[in-house]
Amino acid sequence: MAPADLRRTFVLASELKEGDLLVGGTRDDRVRQEAKRSLAAVRLGEISATALVDDGVSDALDRSLNAESLAEVSALTVARLKQILLSPAGADWARRYRDGLRSEAIAAVVKVMTDSELSSVARAIFNPLPAEPARLNGSPFRWSAKASAERRGSRSSSEGSRSSGEGTTVGSPRHFGSRIQPNSPGDDEDDILLSILEGLTYGCGDVIIGLNPASDDVETIVRLEDLLRSVVERLRLPTRYCVLSDIVKQSRARARTPVDVGFQSLAGTSRALAGMVGLDVDGVLDLARGFPGCYFETGQGSAVTNSAAEGVDMVTLEARAYGVARHIRRQTGRWTIVNDVAGFIGPEVFRTAEQLQRACLEDVVMAKLHGLTMGLDVCATFHMGIEPEALQQTTRRIVELAAPAYLMAVAGNSDPMLGYLTTSFREHPQLRRQSGRHITTAMRKRLVALDAVAPDGEVPHARTGAQATASLYAVYMKEGGDRRSIDTLREEGASKIERLRARGYDLGYGHEAGYAAPTVVVARTRAIYAQARHALYAALDAGAVRAASPHHLRVATTSRDREEYLAHPRSGELIREDDAERIVALRASRLPQVQVVISDGLNASAVNENLREVLPPLRKELAAAGIHVGEIDVVIQNGRVRAGYHVGALLDAGVVVHLIGERPGTGLDTLSAYLTYGRDRAGQSRWGPDLDHAATTAVCGIHRQGKPPSVATEEIARLVRRMFERRRSGVALDS
């Protein structure tokens, strides 16, 4: 079969998801079933011999394969591979031959399986990580629970001095763990610390504590790495920690502070990977060698939505991303986990809970067949329209059917910074009971010693909530050298929790019977969902825009209405033809060094609320720096980030500062600024509808309770000055 024909067969054989329609997929069940039959008859050797994409990712996948195993499996058809994997000997066979299975062959066999068949394979294969002691500053450590208890003035434990390498380990058949995700819209250390401590009281965090920074500068990364390390060290937690920036910035941070786990989002094409981090596989590999561990994130749809799919379907691209992770793990020998952020993009990728469930099953099986230790973020953006209760039900089904090694765990079902629905701390005890699986033995013992959970590993009812979190806060402060009494520190912790609750954080509320959320928490989640759905359909307020921008031109993109804009993002990336002519008419003899663009994005309410506090002072800051800002701002209805690139092309601007409403779901209406330098290194314009997002620098989370507008304004002005000095933006700005 010719490469183009095989690529098309792969696309058509995929189960229906909206994202694949962008690369030639079909809604026709009959066509899809015929493609599955054709794909089932293809031999693995033919797949291995066919380059679906000619790029650095394909080269890395070739190099990662074991030649002997590859030769032994080449004669198998996809249908025969499916039979083997579903047989009683399937798990043993997979362990023996997985390094000979090319990523595209793994994608092929997943495509021809039903959901129940995928579940059978997922529940049979496990890839436990080697047991090892937790690490402090890159070195193994042992902890003495008795000594620690004596130092903090609480009850001692009989656990004594133990290594963490006993019993249930990450990824083993009896294990079900979590990543505590303690995000804060302002990178506030109290927000982060108390979220971590509350998560520990629910038995969460045994795999990793992973924080998404709101500000992605090296200074912030260093500060947050130090905070996470202090939690792990002071409480002697047998877990890992990571600030989820990118591996380039983390490498810079590593020169200034110890960094435990390197993080990078991966993709299935070199073009998509370069769009994320400005590197191909070998560049990521070189940097990965410098970290004690690696944490990779993937997710169906990222390459498709960023126009970097190279005509390949989402399942196959996801498999290729796992192939990259396998290649890096084999080359470095590092502790490695992978997390699939399923559902993070939006309805342009998945529209229903059923599609989300299918994607999770596909991804877990593909990761396990690559020999990877795999977790899931079973999540949904608010514009997908999957309600919180429906997502919780889907999560329970996926844990049962897919047997992932871990899930996310956040303080409440809505992440306070990223603005999406995912798994709460409270759900994890429920899910552990449902699955009959447990957190790692080492973490359970340590949390018992800290009096954070009961000796049986369950959450102690009397201690869960503000009291339990405040008690851990007191231990943390004592271990840091604070000389105040335990009672005083507990009171301080409780006071901080109360302040966070007043700001809308789901902290300190505890749980009802069966770890159900209290009524007040359920009402809070529903209110956030309702607020987010309202924000998605909000309109720019003419008075708010006029107050911030007295001179502006209002235009629209090619989206016919809001529904098309939400379902088909590309319709919001180009200005309508008649409006484009009006923008061109703004061009004067002196082209603007900076052109301001204002878009509703996914939340016009964020623009209405924050624009007046950002734009006027920003103009003053730039003028004081001698930078000419275009006199007339362009205001876009139904505008995506790329619509700002289109305006840049129409006006041939030096830099575009695009102020746009972030997607809702945090309970806050937050603004973002996307800053793009419009020239390449030769001084030629690089504006265009397909300009890579890696060329853009983002300042996110702008809100009085997130990144304060005054701080954001200074940061934006500083970055713009730097762009003109260095003649670049985005990933290249720090290179």
Side-chain angles (χ1 to χ4, degrees):
M1 193 180 295
D5 293 335
L6 186 60
R7 186 185 301 114
R8 177 165 174 75
T9 300
F10 266 77
V11 172
L12 294 177
S14 296
E15 285 297 304
L16 175 61
K17 303 188 198 84
E18 269 63 28
D20 282 329
L21 299 178
L22 300 174
V23 290
T26 180
R27 295 185 184 275
D28 190 322
D29 287 339
R30 181 187 57 79
V31 172
R32 187 160 46 252
Q33 292 306 316
E34 180 58 36
K36 287 178 183 289
R37 285 190 289 271
S38 297
L39 187 59
V42 175
R43 297 189 183 277
L44 304 192
E46 183 177 355
I47 294 173
S48 295
T50 305
L52 297 184
V53 184
D54 184 10
D55 66 359
V57 169
S58 295
D59 292 342
L61 299 184
D62 285 338
R63 297 197 303 272
S64 70
L65 293 173
N66 178 285
E68 182 177 346
S69 296
L70 177 65
E72 291 187 42
V73 303
S74 291
L76 298 176
T77 64
V78 172
R80 178 57 183 149
L81 175 59
K82 170 182 167 179
Q83 290 176 339
I84 293 171
L85 294 176
L86 291 171
S87 73
D92 290 336
W93 186 94
R95 278 189 290 273
R96 179 178 178 183
Y97 290 104
R98 65 191 178 197
D99 288 339
L101 290 175
R102 189 173 174 95
S103 298
E104 290 86 347
I106 291 173
V109 74
V110 161
K111 289 172 183 288
V112 300
M113 287 185 179
T114 65
D115 283 11
S116 62
E117 289 169 340
L118 288 170
S119 176
S120 178
V121 175
R123 289 182 289 118
I125 299 175
F126 295 89
N127 300 312
L129 292 175
E132 63 173 17
R135 309 178 76 88
L136 293 177
N137 297 328
S139 300
F141 75 95
R142 296 175 184 270
W143 56 271
S144 169
K146 182 178 180 180
S148 177
E150 290 172 348
R151 279 196 299 274
R152 69 177 186 268
S154 62
R155 70 175 177 84
S156 64
S157 166
S158 61
E159 293 297 334
S161 178
R162 304 283 183 91
S163 78
S164 64
E166 301 176 3
T168 302
T169 58
V170 174
S172 62
R174 287 176 52 80
H175 175 249
F176 172 66
S178 62
R179 165 191 152 195
I180 289 179
Q181 182 170 287
N183 294 344
S184 164
D187 291 324
D188 181 89
E189 294 191 12
D190 278 346
D191 295 3
I192 295 164
L193 172 61
L194 290 163
S195 291
I196 294 171
L197 299 180
E198 177 120 331
L200 294 174
T201 69
Y202 284 91
C204 296
D206 64 327
V207 178
I208 196 167
I209 300 171
L211 172 71
N212 300 88
S215 296
D216 203 21
D217 57 280
V218 174
E219 292 289 339
T220 300
I221 296 167
V222 169
R223 176 171 64 86
L224 297 179
E225 289 280 2
D226 289 344
L227 173 61
L228 298 188
R229 186 178 70 256
S230 75
V231 176
V232 171
E233 289 184 351
R234 291 188 194 182
L235 299 182
R236 294 168 178 78
L237 300 174
T239 190
R240 311 300 290 252
Y241 64 91
C242 179
V243 175
L244 283 69
S245 174
D246 64 58
I247 203 164
V248 173
K249 291 189 178 75
Q250 278 188 296
S251 294
R252 295 194 183 98
R254 195 166 57 87
R256 297 170 51 184
T257 193
V259 175
D260 182 30
V261 174
F263 171 79
Q264 183 55 52
S265 294
L266 297 182
T269 68
S270 293
R271 184 179 175 188
L273 189 57
M276 294 173 176
V277 72
L279 300 171
D280 207 337
V281 177
D282 288 345
V284 175
L285 171 60
D286 287 343
L287 295 180
R289 297 182 194 278
F291 296 90
C294 290
Y295 178 11
F296 298 122
E297 271 193 354
T298 65
Q300 289 191 34
S302 61
V304 169
T305 57
N306 286 315
S307 302
E310 310 287 15
V312 179
D313 66 274
M314 296 194 301
V315 169
T316 305
L317 291 173
E318 185 75 357
R320 284 166 58 90
Y322 300 146
V324 172
R326 174 174 65 181
H327 173 66
I328 294 173
R329 188 205 61 199
R330 291 188 66 185
Q331 292 297 313
T332 63
R334 298 294 189 265
W335 180 97
T336 300
I337 58 172
V338 177
N339 178 51
D340 171 31
V341 190
F344 187 74
I345 297 176
E348 63 268 35
V349 175
F350 308 130
R351 282 241 179 153
T352 66
E354 290 73 24
Q355 290 181 352
L356 177 60
Q357 176 177 305
R358 172 71 189 191
C360 288
L361 285 168
E362 292 167 341
D363 295 351
V364 168
V365 170
M366 292 192 295
K368 289 186 173 187
L369 289 175
H370 278 88
L372 299 168
T373 306
M374 173 73 162
L376 293 173
D377 190 348
V378 182
C379 59
T381 62
F382 286 84
H383 57 310
M384 286 175 72
I386 299 176
E387 296 192 0
E389 293 82 359
L391 184 65
Q392 291 167 14
Q393 293 171 5
T394 301
T395 301
R396 289 193 288 270
R397 288 197 301 272
I398 289 170
V399 168
E400 180 67 26
L401 295 173
Y406 63 95
L407 295 186
M408 292 300 101
V410 303
N413 287 103
S414 176
D415 185 280
M417 191 270 285
L418 293 176
Y420 73 118
L421 291 168
T422 186
T423 314
S424 72
F425 294 151
R426 290 181 196 85
E427 289 177 84
H428 277 268
Q430 302 174 38
L431 293 169
R432 292 195 294 269
R433 281 186 169 183
Q434 168 195 315
S435 66
R437 296 155 65 203
H438 314 282
I439 65 174
T440 63
T441 302
M443 185 60 123
R444 180 182 62 79
K445 290 180 177 179
R446 185 59 187 139
L447 293 179
V448 168
L450 287 167
D451 204 21
V453 302
D456 62 1
E458 293 289 357
V459 177
H461 289 263
R463 295 296 304 276
T464 302
Q467 181 185 6
T469 305
S471 293
L472 270 185
Y473 174 83
V475 175
Y476 170 82
M477 297 300 290
K478 273 290 187 185
E479 293 290 345
D482 197 307
R483 295 184 178 182
R484 290 175 289 170
S485 71
I486 286 288
D487 287 342
T488 298
L489 291 170
R490 283 175 179 155
E491 289 175 5
E492 180 177 87
S495 177
K496 289 185 174 185
I497 292 167
E498 187 59 36
R499 287 199 297 271
L500 289 175
R501 284 172 58 168
R503 288 172 46 200
Y505 271 76
D506 181 0
L507 290 174
Y509 288 103
H511 61 82
E512 304 294 344
Y515 309 104
T519 303
V520 64
V521 171
V522 173
R524 172 187 173 275
T525 302
R526 288 175 177 167
I528 289 176
Y529 183 82
Q531 184 263 353
R533 295 296 296 175
H534 176 268
L536 287 166
Y537 292 92
L540 290 171
D541 180 80
V545 173
R546 188 165 51 250
S549 173
H551 306 290
H552 62 266
L553 174 68
R554 293 196 69 142
V555 300
T557 61
T558 58
S559 295
R560 290 171 295 184
D561 53 34
R562 197 63 177 172
E563 292 298 336
E564 182 181 32
Y565 173 78
L566 293 174
H568 302 289
R570 291 186 182 180
S571 68
E573 295 180 351
L574 291 175
I575 307 299
R576 292 189 316 195
E577 187 174 345
D578 56 337
D579 282 341
E581 294 175 357
R582 296 169 63 212
I583 293 173
V584 171
L586 297 177
R587 293 179 63 160
S589 57
R590 182 184 181 188
L591 298 176
Q593 286 182 285
V594 172
Q595 176 62 49
V596 174
V597 177
I598 302 160
S599 290
D600 46 10
L602 291 174
N603 187 354
S605 298
V607 179
N608 299 336
E609 181 175 345
N610 298 291
L611 188 63
R612 280 173 284 193
E613 296 187 53
V614 174
L615 183 51
L618 177 61
R619 280 185 166 275
K620 290 180 181 178
E621 289 252 7
L622 294 175
I627 296 173
H628 173 235
V629 182
E631 295 180 1
I632 299 178
D633 304 325
V634 177
V635 179
I636 306 175
Q637 178 183 339
N638 291 333
R640 300 272 180 171
V641 173
R642 289 189 187 279
Y645 303 161
H646 193 186
V647 173
L650 295 170
L651 293 177
D652 195 24
V655 167
V656 164
V657 173
H658 191 173
L659 302 171
I660 187 169
E662 289 182 16
R663 68 184 187 185
T666 64
L668 305 176
D669 293 314
T670 53
L671 189 72
S672 285
Y674 288 86
L675 321 175
T676 312
Y677 186 74
R679 299 284 184 272
D680 61 20
R681 297 196 176 189
Q684 301 299 309
S685 174
R686 62 176 181 176
W687 296 117
D690 293 325
L691 178 64
D692 202 305
H693 286 316
T696 292
T697 300
V699 178
C700 302
I702 304 171
H703 189 276
R704 288 184 299 277
Q705 295 181 32
K707 174 170 287 188
S710 59
V711 174
T713 297
E714 293 175 1
E715 184 177 349
I716 294 167
R718 183 174 65 253
L719 287 167
V720 170
R721 291 195 300 270
R722 192 174 181 198
M723 288 174 186
F724 281 115
E725 290 167 0
R726 305 205 66 186
R727 299 182 181 180
R728 64 190 72 170
S729 60
V731 172
L733 186 61
D734 293 319
S735 63

